[in-house]
Amino acid sequence: MALKNEPTAPYHSAQDALRVLETVSHHTTGVTETELARRCGIGADRLTALLRMLRREGYVEQVTDGAYVTGAALGRLASAHGREQALRDKLQHTIDRLRDSVGAAIYISRYIDGEVRVTQYAESPSTPAVNEWVDFRSSAHASAVGKSLLGQLDHNGRRDHLARHKMARLTSRTITSERLLLSRLDSQPATVPVLDLQEYAIGTVCAAVPITAGSSVGCLALSLPVEHAHRLRRAADTLNRGATPVLLSLAI
């Protein structure tokens, strides 16, 4: 399966953060922000923001002289022993925090063995998860999650998926024309969140952004009750900015 993907802003931020982490890990006694800026070639304001995020995620720590050293979270993810559970725990902590900052249910989804799978999600009584009234695996044409994942595949990958899953009409807004769907996927900029405006379920709106790491296709998504639809685009922008820590965890 080939991918059709252009780097997004969170991807570039994650790449910069990885460069910072690599530099920090090579200085066991600590490295200053000035030295990091010089070695990584990252501007002061951008570096400060990256270091703030890395400290929040537990990937770096600041010692008494102001220098940075690797944090405990990095050690847990870098260790082969227990990495899978450590990654799952780290991602859950990240999306729980994102749920609270966005004010919406949050989902991590992956395209695994030709199928759409929601691998983790964060909800609460005030931010309930969408009711999966139709299996997400068979409704990629209608959901923000599915369209984001399909949008990262090449044309043959998309056609293969749609050949295996009939494009059923789930609501009056659902696209059931393969030609129209493929056209919209082709014209969807990678840097713009994919939206679902009651296409999967009446009463729910959703947005999704790609979090592809290497050859693994994934996305980060949110859902809101339709009465909060006025918040969707702003929430989607916050979701996009919040994708960097998720991408970083997957890349370490």
Side-chain angles (χ1 to χ4, degrees):
M1 177 186 66
L3 308 185
K4 181 184 179 182
N5 201 28
E6 59 184 272
T8 61
Y11 174 85
H12 288 304
S13 294
Q15 290 296 100
D16 286 345
L18 283 171
R19 296 213 316 274
V20 171
L21 286 178
E22 184 178 13
T23 303
V24 172
S25 66
H26 289 161
H27 293 75
T28 55
T29 58
V31 56
T32 66
E33 190 165 340
T34 300
E35 183 68 7
L36 280 170
R38 187 182 70 81
R39 289 181 175 272
C40 298
I42 300 173
D45 290 345
R46 182 167 177 77
L47 179 59
T48 297
L50 285 172
L51 287 170
R52 187 183 305 119
M53 181 270 289
L54 291 171
R55 288 181 66 187
R56 185 180 68 240
E57 296 296 323
Y59 291 130
V60 300
E61 297 173 4
Q62 199 168 19
V63 292
T64 52
D65 63 355
Y68 290 90
V69 297
T70 56
L74 182 62
R76 286 193 293 270
L77 288 186
S79 171
H81 178 68
R83 171 178 161 72
E84 185 175 340
Q85 186 59 49
L87 175 59
R88 187 170 183 83
D89 292 345
K90 187 73 186 73
L91 290 173
Q92 192 63 49
H93 179 73
T94 299
I95 63 174
D96 283 348
R97 188 169 57 238
L98 192 56
R99 172 202 60 205
D100 296 338
S101 65
V102 175
I106 304 293
Y107 313 80
I108 295 176
S109 185
R110 311 292 290 277
Y111 197 72
I112 302 172
D113 297 331
E115 300 294 350
V116 172
R117 301 185 189 278
V118 174
T119 55
Q120 286 181 252
Y121 65 95
E123 64 170 345
S124 72
S126 61
T127 57
V130 65
N131 174 34
E132 189 180 354
W133 76 285
V134 175
D135 194 320
F136 289 138
R137 291 175 297 180
S138 59
S139 56
H141 64 292
S143 69
V145 160
K147 288 186 287 184
S148 179
L149 295 176
L150 291 179
Q152 297 172 66
L153 306 181
D154 64 8
H155 185 74
N156 289 337
R158 296 170 187 172
R159 292 291 299 272
D160 172 73
H161 184 92
L162 296 175
R164 291 183 286 109
H165 296 285
K166 178 178 172 58
M167 295 176 60
R169 184 175 298 280
L170 307 183
T171 77
S172 62
R173 296 173 177 264
T174 306
I175 297 173
T176 56
S177 163
E178 181 175 312
R179 181 178 178 182
L180 177 57
L181 178 64
L182 292 174
S183 174
R184 291 197 178 178
L185 292 176
D186 278 334
S187 62
Q188 173 75 29
T191 54
V192 177
V194 177
L195 302 181
D196 158 16
L197 304 177
Q198 301 189 86
E199 296 168 54
Y200 172 77
I202 295 297
T204 302
V205 294
C206 305
V209 296
I211 52 168
T212 298
S215 61
S216 177
V217 172
C219 73
L220 188 64
L222 65 81
S223 67
L224 288 167
V226 70
E227 55 265 30
H228 293 282
H230 62 282
R231 295 202 295 114
L232 181 61
R233 292 191 182 277
R234 180 175 294 180
D237 289 340
T238 304
L239 182 78
N240 203 18
R241 292 193 298 272
T244 298
V246 177
L247 264 170
L248 186 58
S249 297
L250 293 171
I252 291 174

